[in-house]
Amino acid sequence: MAVIGILDVDLCGPSIPRMLSIGRPDVHQCDSGWVPVYTDAAKTLALMSIGFLLEDPDEAVVWRGPKKTAMIGQFVSDVAWGELDVLLVDTPPGTSDEHLAVLENLKKHSRVDGAILVTTPQAVSTGDVRREITFCKKTGIRILGIVENMSGFVCPHCSECSNIFSKGGGEELAKLTGSIFLGAVPLDPLLSTSIEEGKDFIQSFPDSATFSAISSISQTLLESLQTA
Amino acid sequence: MLNLCPSIQVSTCAHTGTFEGGRLSQQDTKMADVPDNAPEHCPGTTSEQAGKSSSCAGCPNQKICASGATKAPDPAIAEIGEKLSTVKHKILVLSGKGGVGKSTFSAHLAHTLASDSTKEVALLDVDICGPSIPRIMGLEGEQVHQSGSGWSPVYVDDNLAVMSIGFLLSSPDDAVIWRGPKKNGMIKQFLRDVDWGDLDYLIVDTPPGTSDEHLSIVQYLSSTHVDGAVIITTPQEVSLQDVRKEIRFCQKVKLPIIGVVENMSGFVCPSCKNTSQIFPPTSGGAERMCADLDLPLLGKVPLDPRIARSCDEGKSFINEVPDSPAAKVYQSIVQSIQDYCSNRVTEEQSTS
């Protein structure tokens, strides 16, 4: 079974703990550093987020760049991840302190295999993701591919598909920038609810179109990582 | 035009108050201006204790902090106060969460306020890394010009001006890869060097978060009066979780909150007219949060594919589809904001 780590470097808006139903465990230290938080006894999914470190979960982390950079440095260097097959890093939007900090620190310790870029279909979204693509190119990060999220909504009552956030932007962006289009994930209230409640959508709804989309994207990514 | 990308150096990340584990305390999360090379428990360069506390011993910045130089306010703050004295109302649009529709809301607030041709309105985009406002306002490809009185904003209509870093970039692929201090410098210039003229409303659109851009906007506007902030969320707890932090930020910096807008609040299928909660309010949505925190809920805007389309095409959704349920909610929200701003003026006049 693969062992995965998730490092959440969105210091102002850490969502990973809630999405994985972790609540507020303490972060302990061991000889080799901070122990990440595991989602279950099998220890196949390890997490680190500032969300675990806040005394009050509603407390705002109002830090300027240098302090955020220092925290991220600690997250990369001081967490005893152990043997991982994949470390996923979830980032906030932008091309600023967090992104530079996580890259600089990861590069000190090991290689960075690449980046997945997530967009919605709208031009307003792809317009920003073009800049993120430039960030990757300038910092020498391989672009593993583009995922189009919130890609259409199939009405559960009548099956009519509505393109609430427009259509096709992800694929166009991939073509325009010479990147791989990994796939599109539809809007799905069941996925939203699962995320809210920290439930494993994959376990709960294995027959859904959403599961199929996410599965296919993961498969393509794994193959891409193996051939690199 | 702009130096967009620093060389990526592996910074010798100097010892800077490393966190030893457990939980971050109030001390850790307070808004200290803590330099990169400060020791543990640095009181912050702008605190009364700067350079004088026991933690300062041995710090390379101790002398300069103790001299008081770091506590001296930035002269730009007074200059900005002077420059913006001709702006009657200032409204910040904030959210803790990305992708909830801040820029969409800011743009439509600007359009709606400017639909009264007797009002002068401006929209300032301080999302330095992801400037969406030029596209949403139909101004992609426009450039900013300099004159004797400063930078000229770009005009959508005679009474609606816009400024964004998007106008300073030469290509839609240009990335602004700047750390905090450089972003702060740009925001200072936007406030001090743009020739806004006399304005009834200045709306400031922000990126998600509670960081450099937000601190800088509040600090640089500290010698002016800011009417308040409109906070945008979507119904889910994952959004509200971050929005509560934004609300705490506003309370910390004493920024009044005009109210909360819940975007993406339900979707009515155009075919069968049934409503789906695509982003379910599993913890009661903005309504419950506002009740808990005693904040006004300004409105709940439903999802409408025509909103995204209008934004992509640089048009005002409210002009395009004025009779849609979403447009009506927007109108009502804008009216509440206008009423709030006028009531503030009336209160000030009656107390002076």
Short mmCIF file of all heavy atoms in Angstrom, two decimals, chain A residues 95-97 99-108 134-141, chain B residues 3-12 176-179:
data_model
loop_
_atom_site.label_atom_id
_atom_site.label_comp_id
_atom_site.label_asym_id
_atom_site.label_seq_id
_atom_site.Cartn_x
_atom_site.Cartn_y
_atom_site.Cartn_z
N THR A 95 1.77 33.41 -6.48
CA THR A 95 3.14 33.10 -6.90
C THR A 95 4.06 33.90 -5.99
O THR A 95 4.82 34.76 -6.44
CB THR A 95 3.37 33.52 -8.37
OG1 THR A 95 2.94 34.90 -8.54
CG2 THR A 95 2.60 32.66 -9.33
N SER A 96 3.96 33.63 -4.68
CA SER A 96 4.63 34.54 -3.74
C SER A 96 5.41 33.78 -2.67
O SER A 96 5.98 32.72 -2.95
CB SER A 96 3.59 35.49 -3.15
OG SER A 96 4.20 36.49 -2.37
N ASP A 97 5.43 34.30 -1.48
CA ASP A 97 6.30 33.76 -0.43
C ASP A 97 6.15 32.27 -0.21
O ASP A 97 7.15 31.53 -0.16
CB ASP A 97 6.01 34.50 0.90
CG ASP A 97 6.34 35.98 0.82
OD1 ASP A 97 7.51 36.32 1.06
OD2 ASP A 97 5.45 36.78 0.51
N HIS A 99 5.05 29.89 -2.10
CA HIS A 99 5.45 29.07 -3.24
C HIS A 99 6.97 29.04 -3.36
O HIS A 99 7.58 27.97 -3.55
CB HIS A 99 4.81 29.60 -4.53
CG HIS A 99 3.35 29.88 -4.32
ND1 HIS A 99 2.91 31.05 -3.75
CD2 HIS A 99 2.26 29.10 -4.51
CE1 HIS A 99 1.58 30.99 -3.62
NE2 HIS A 99 1.17 29.81 -4.07
N LEU A 100 7.58 30.21 -3.20
CA LEU A 100 9.04 30.28 -3.24
C LEU A 100 9.64 29.51 -2.06
O LEU A 100 10.59 28.76 -2.22
CB LEU A 100 9.50 31.74 -3.21
CG LEU A 100 9.21 32.54 -4.49
CD1 LEU A 100 9.39 34.03 -4.26
CD2 LEU A 100 10.12 32.07 -5.62
N ALA A 101 9.05 29.69 -0.88
CA ALA A 101 9.59 29.04 0.32
C ALA A 101 9.55 27.53 0.22
O ALA A 101 10.52 26.83 0.53
CB ALA A 101 8.81 29.49 1.56
N VAL A 102 8.43 27.01 -0.23
CA VAL A 102 8.31 25.55 -0.25
C VAL A 102 9.26 24.96 -1.30
O VAL A 102 9.92 23.94 -1.06
CB VAL A 102 6.84 25.08 -0.41
CG1 VAL A 102 6.35 25.10 -1.85
CG2 VAL A 102 6.64 23.71 0.17
N LEU A 103 9.39 25.64 -2.42
CA LEU A 103 10.30 25.15 -3.46
C LEU A 103 11.75 25.19 -3.00
O LEU A 103 12.48 24.20 -3.15
CB LEU A 103 10.18 26.03 -4.70
CG LEU A 103 9.20 25.55 -5.74
CD1 LEU A 103 9.25 26.50 -6.92
CD2 LEU A 103 9.55 24.14 -6.20
N GLU A 104 12.15 26.32 -2.46
CA GLU A 104 13.56 26.46 -2.03
C GLU A 104 13.90 25.40 -0.99
O GLU A 104 14.97 24.79 -1.04
CB GLU A 104 13.79 27.84 -1.41
CG GLU A 104 13.87 28.95 -2.45
CD GLU A 104 13.91 30.35 -1.83
OE1 GLU A 104 13.89 30.46 -0.59
OE2 GLU A 104 13.95 31.33 -2.60
N ASN A 105 13.00 25.19 -0.05
CA ASN A 105 13.27 24.23 1.01
C ASN A 105 13.22 22.79 0.54
O ASN A 105 14.03 21.96 0.94
CB ASN A 105 12.32 24.47 2.18
CG ASN A 105 12.74 25.67 2.99
OD1 ASN A 105 13.71 25.61 3.76
ND2 ASN A 105 12.06 26.79 2.81
N LEU A 106 12.27 22.47 -0.33
CA LEU A 106 12.20 21.10 -0.85
C LEU A 106 13.45 20.78 -1.66
O LEU A 106 14.00 19.69 -1.56
CB LEU A 106 10.96 20.92 -1.73
CG LEU A 106 9.63 20.76 -1.00
CD1 LEU A 106 8.48 20.76 -2.01
CD2 LEU A 106 9.60 19.47 -0.17
N LYS A 107 13.90 21.74 -2.45
CA LYS A 107 15.07 21.50 -3.31
C LYS A 107 16.33 21.23 -2.49
O LYS A 107 17.24 20.54 -2.94
CB LYS A 107 15.30 22.70 -4.24
CG LYS A 107 14.37 22.73 -5.43
CD LYS A 107 14.63 23.98 -6.29
CE LYS A 107 13.77 23.97 -7.54
NZ LYS A 107 13.91 25.20 -8.33
N LYS A 108 16.35 21.78 -1.27
CA LYS A 108 17.51 21.53 -0.40
C LYS A 108 17.61 20.06 -0.02
O LYS A 108 18.67 19.52 0.22
CB LYS A 108 17.37 22.32 0.91
CG LYS A 108 17.89 23.74 0.87
CD LYS A 108 17.91 24.30 2.29
CE LYS A 108 17.03 25.51 2.41
NZ LYS A 108 16.99 26.10 3.75
N THR A 134 3.88 30.09 -15.82
CA THR A 134 5.13 30.84 -15.98
C THR A 134 6.00 30.68 -14.74
O THR A 134 7.22 30.53 -14.84
CB THR A 134 4.83 32.33 -16.23
OG1 THR A 134 3.99 32.45 -17.35
CG2 THR A 134 6.11 33.12 -16.43
N PHE A 135 5.39 30.74 -13.58
CA PHE A 135 6.12 30.53 -12.32
C PHE A 135 6.85 29.20 -12.35
O PHE A 135 8.02 29.10 -12.01
CB PHE A 135 5.14 30.59 -11.14
CG PHE A 135 5.75 30.20 -9.81
CD1 PHE A 135 6.43 31.13 -9.05
CD2 PHE A 135 5.64 28.89 -9.34
CE1 PHE A 135 7.00 30.77 -7.82
CE2 PHE A 135 6.21 28.53 -8.12
CZ PHE A 135 6.89 29.46 -7.36
N CYS A 136 6.14 28.17 -12.78
CA CYS A 136 6.75 26.83 -12.84
C CYS A 136 7.92 26.83 -13.80
O CYS A 136 8.99 26.29 -13.50
CB CYS A 136 5.73 25.78 -13.27
SG CYS A 136 4.46 25.50 -12.03
N LYS A 137 7.73 27.43 -14.96
CA LYS A 137 8.80 27.44 -15.95
C LYS A 137 10.01 28.21 -15.42
O LYS A 137 11.15 27.76 -15.55
CB LYS A 137 8.30 28.05 -17.27
CG LYS A 137 7.33 27.13 -17.99
CD LYS A 137 6.82 27.70 -19.31
CE LYS A 137 5.93 26.63 -19.98
NZ LYS A 137 5.13 27.16 -21.09
N LYS A 138 9.77 29.33 -14.79
CA LYS A 138 10.88 30.15 -14.29
C LYS A 138 11.62 29.47 -13.15
O LYS A 138 12.81 29.67 -12.96
CB LYS A 138 10.39 31.52 -13.83
CG LYS A 138 10.01 32.43 -14.97
CD LYS A 138 10.06 33.89 -14.60
CE LYS A 138 10.21 34.71 -15.86
NZ LYS A 138 9.83 36.08 -15.76
N THR A 139 10.90 28.68 -12.36
CA THR A 139 11.55 28.04 -11.22
C THR A 139 12.00 26.61 -11.54
O THR A 139 12.47 25.88 -10.68
CB THR A 139 10.62 28.01 -9.99
OG1 THR A 139 9.38 27.42 -10.38
CG2 THR A 139 10.36 29.41 -9.46
N GLY A 140 11.84 26.24 -12.81
CA GLY A 140 12.34 24.93 -13.25
C GLY A 140 11.53 23.76 -12.76
O GLY A 140 12.05 22.65 -12.61
N ILE A 141 10.25 23.97 -12.50
CA ILE A 141 9.39 22.87 -12.04
C ILE A 141 8.64 22.29 -13.23
O ILE A 141 7.96 23.01 -13.97
CB ILE A 141 8.35 23.41 -11.01
CG1 ILE A 141 9.05 24.02 -9.81
CG2 ILE A 141 7.40 22.31 -10.56
CD1 ILE A 141 9.94 23.07 -9.06
N ASN B 3 10.26 44.40 -12.89
CA ASN B 3 11.13 43.25 -12.62
C ASN B 3 10.29 42.21 -11.89
O ASN B 3 9.93 42.39 -10.73
CB ASN B 3 12.32 43.70 -11.76
CG ASN B 3 13.21 42.54 -11.41
OD1 ASN B 3 13.08 41.45 -11.96
ND2 ASN B 3 14.13 42.76 -10.50
N LEU B 4 9.93 41.16 -12.60
CA LEU B 4 8.89 40.28 -12.09
C LEU B 4 9.38 39.13 -11.24
O LEU B 4 8.64 38.57 -10.47
CB LEU B 4 8.10 39.69 -13.28
CG LEU B 4 7.33 40.71 -14.08
CD1 LEU B 4 6.69 40.03 -15.27
CD2 LEU B 4 6.28 41.39 -13.24
N CYS B 5 10.64 38.75 -11.40
CA CYS B 5 11.04 37.51 -10.74
C CYS B 5 12.41 37.64 -10.11
O CYS B 5 13.36 37.98 -10.77
CB CYS B 5 11.06 36.40 -11.79
SG CYS B 5 11.52 34.80 -11.13
N PRO B 6 12.50 37.38 -8.82
CA PRO B 6 13.82 37.42 -8.20
C PRO B 6 14.58 36.18 -8.62
O PRO B 6 13.97 35.20 -9.01
CB PRO B 6 13.51 37.36 -6.70
CG PRO B 6 12.26 36.57 -6.65
CD PRO B 6 11.49 36.87 -7.90
N SER B 7 15.89 36.20 -8.55
CA SER B 7 16.59 34.95 -8.82
C SER B 7 16.29 34.03 -7.65
O SER B 7 16.21 34.47 -6.52
CB SER B 7 18.09 35.20 -8.94
OG SER B 7 18.55 35.90 -7.80
N ILE B 8 16.02 32.79 -7.92
CA ILE B 8 15.63 31.90 -6.83
C ILE B 8 16.89 31.47 -6.11
O ILE B 8 17.66 30.66 -6.59
CB ILE B 8 14.89 30.65 -7.38
CG1 ILE B 8 13.74 31.07 -8.30
CG2 ILE B 8 14.40 29.78 -6.26
CD1 ILE B 8 12.71 31.94 -7.65
N GLN B 9 17.10 32.08 -4.96
CA GLN B 9 18.28 31.72 -4.17
C GLN B 9 17.86 30.82 -3.04
O GLN B 9 16.78 30.97 -2.50
CB GLN B 9 18.92 32.97 -3.57
CG GLN B 9 19.56 33.85 -4.59
CD GLN B 9 19.54 35.31 -4.14
OE1 GLN B 9 18.97 35.66 -3.14
NE2 GLN B 9 20.17 36.16 -4.92
N VAL B 10 18.73 29.92 -2.68
CA VAL B 10 18.46 29.14 -1.48
C VAL B 10 18.86 30.05 -0.33
O VAL B 10 20.03 30.27 -0.07
CB VAL B 10 19.31 27.85 -1.49
CG1 VAL B 10 19.15 27.13 -0.17
CG2 VAL B 10 18.89 26.95 -2.64
N SER B 11 17.85 30.64 0.29
CA SER B 11 18.17 31.65 1.30
C SER B 11 18.76 31.00 2.54
O SER B 11 18.32 29.94 2.96
CB SER B 11 16.91 32.44 1.67
OG SER B 11 15.91 31.57 2.08
N THR B 12 19.76 31.66 3.09
CA THR B 12 20.29 31.17 4.36
C THR B 12 19.25 31.57 5.39
O THR B 12 19.31 32.63 5.97
CB THR B 12 21.65 31.81 4.67
OG1 THR B 12 21.51 33.22 4.49
CG2 THR B 12 22.72 31.27 3.76
N VAL B 176 3.93 37.51 -11.60
CA VAL B 176 4.53 38.44 -10.65
C VAL B 176 5.02 37.61 -9.46
O VAL B 176 4.25 37.26 -8.57
CB VAL B 176 3.52 39.51 -10.20
CG1 VAL B 176 4.17 40.50 -9.25
CG2 VAL B 176 2.94 40.24 -11.41
N ILE B 177 6.29 37.28 -9.49
CA ILE B 177 6.84 36.36 -8.47
C ILE B 177 7.56 37.21 -7.44
O ILE B 177 8.77 37.33 -7.43
CB ILE B 177 7.78 35.33 -9.13
CG1 ILE B 177 7.05 34.64 -10.28
CG2 ILE B 177 8.23 34.29 -8.10
CD1 ILE B 177 7.93 33.70 -11.09
N TRP B 178 6.80 37.84 -6.60
CA TRP B 178 7.33 38.78 -5.62
C TRP B 178 7.05 38.30 -4.22
O TRP B 178 5.98 37.80 -3.92
CB TRP B 178 6.65 40.15 -5.77
CG TRP B 178 7.03 40.93 -6.98
CD1 TRP B 178 7.97 40.62 -7.91
CD2 TRP B 178 6.47 42.17 -7.38
NE1 TRP B 178 8.02 41.59 -8.87
CE2 TRP B 178 7.12 42.56 -8.56
CE3 TRP B 178 5.49 43.00 -6.85
CZ2 TRP B 178 6.81 43.74 -9.22
CZ3 TRP B 178 5.18 44.17 -7.49
CH2 TRP B 178 5.84 44.54 -8.68
N ARG B 179 8.04 38.54 -3.34
CA ARG B 179 7.79 38.29 -1.92
C ARG B 179 7.07 39.50 -1.33
O ARG B 179 6.92 40.53 -1.97
CB ARG B 179 9.12 38.07 -1.20
CG ARG B 179 9.81 36.78 -1.61
CD ARG B 179 11.06 36.53 -0.79
NE ARG B 179 11.94 35.57 -1.41
CZ ARG B 179 11.91 34.26 -1.19
NH1 ARG B 179 11.01 33.74 -0.39
NH2 ARG B 179 12.78 33.46 -1.80
#
